[in-house]
Amino acid sequence: MVGLRDWVTLYLKGVAMGSADAVPGVSGGTIALIVGIYERLIAAVTAVDPARIRRVLAGVRPANIPDARAAFHEVDGAFLVVLLAGIGTAVVAVLSAVDHLLATRPVATYGFFFGLIAASAAVLLGDVELDTPRRKAAALGGFALAFLASGYGSTALSSSLPVVFVAGAVAVSAMILPGVSGSLLLIVLGQYEYMSGTVSRFVDGLAAAALGDGADALVETLPPVATFLVGGVVGVVTIAHAVKYALARARAATLAFLVSLIVGALRAPLVEVSIRLAESGETWRAAAPRFAVAAVGGAAVVLVLDRYSAAIEY
């Protein structure tokens, strides 16, 4: 029988995953491997489908409670709820901190992200095989997609609700893949800074509403936060299944695409820093030292994580 200590442990594992998910270049899936819950997570996530969701929701009627409870157990619902609570706690806390750092130390923050992404790509490149035209095409496609989107997404995409919905679907589904960071894809889509600021204001709005200081901030930020979460649910139900299918049918080509996506995304932090430098009037020559130091720190984090997960098969 599962005791309170087991649930607390699972919650803390979720906190570790959420902390990783909230920073670009570090995958929550990698953390799930390290803490020993990856296979159970994949089984639970891929067990979620529209039919089971409807059965669980139908539990609002007393007559449907037994079937709703059965559907909840089929998707390992208690495991997912506790784990997601830990992930959510960490994501909110980390994104609030990142929002402050992006406002006060943008060059060093994006330098840290650059190091995270570069080291992640370097670690994963050893698993990529480009010995067939199909795999080479997949790698080229992944690199081109991320490289082009990193420039376009950072400067041209708006943060309208449809874009936020797609960003949520892509980012949340990517979070369960070892080596692929959902936050990295948010940077590629130009939505990371927007969502970190929105989440930070949403939390402040909740606190203000609870204290009776008004609900303006809460009303303003609730639509994008809710849209992102709905997109995440849709992404888990659809995109995660598609990636799982692709890995089962063409693992080497899919891995080549995903890793090349990370390599191409290295452009994103550079674009973001260039925008900030243009706004402040500072030159790259002056900013390069602190960018480089932060990048080394980010790379070190990934290499330490890789050391602990290198022996795990996935």
Side-chain angles (χ1 to χ4, degrees), residues 107 277 282-291:
V107 173
L277 294 181
E282 187 178 9
T283 65
W284 257 109
R285 168 177 274 183
R290 65 181 186 276
F291 182 92

Side-chain angles (χ1 to χ4, degrees), residues 2-110:
V2 180
L4 177 61
R5 181 177 180 180
D6 297 308
W7 292 122
V8 171
T9 300
L10 179 60
Y11 174 82
L12 293 176
K13 290 178 179 181
V15 169
M17 284 185 63
S19 299
D21 284 331
V23 294
V26 182
S27 167
T30 298
I31 301 299
L33 282 168
I34 294 172
V35 299
I37 60 172
Y38 183 71
E39 290 186 10
R40 185 175 180 183
L41 174 62
I42 292 298
V45 168
T46 53
V48 177
D49 58 33
R52 288 192 173 110
I53 292 175
R54 286 194 296 269
R55 288 168 60 195
V56 170
L57 295 178
V60 295
R61 298 178 179 177
N64 296 329
I65 290 178
D67 184 60
R69 185 180 293 114
F72 187 74
H73 287 307
E74 288 169 11
V75 299
D76 206 355
F79 167 81
L80 286 178
V81 168
V82 175
L83 187 68
L84 288 174
I87 291 174
T89 301
V91 166
V92 168
V94 173
L95 285 183
S96 296
V98 167
D99 181 56
H100 173 72
L101 290 173
L102 287 174
T104 58
R105 300 287 187 273
V107 173
T109 303
Y110 278 115

Side-chain angles (χ1 to χ4, degrees), residues 88 92 95-96 99 194-210 214-227 229:
V92 168
L95 285 183
S96 296
D99 181 56
Y194 170 75
M195 285 309 303
S196 64
T198 299
V199 169
S200 179
R201 293 196 305 276
F202 178 74
V203 174
D204 292 341
L206 280 176
D216 291 347
L218 186 61
V219 171
E220 177 191 353
T221 56
L222 182 59
V225 169
T227 300
L229 292 175

Side-chain angles (χ1 to χ4, degrees), residues 222-241:
L222 182 59
V225 169
T227 300
F228 185 87
L229 292 175
V230 171
V233 172
V234 173
V236 167
V237 175
T238 57
I239 298 175
H241 286 268

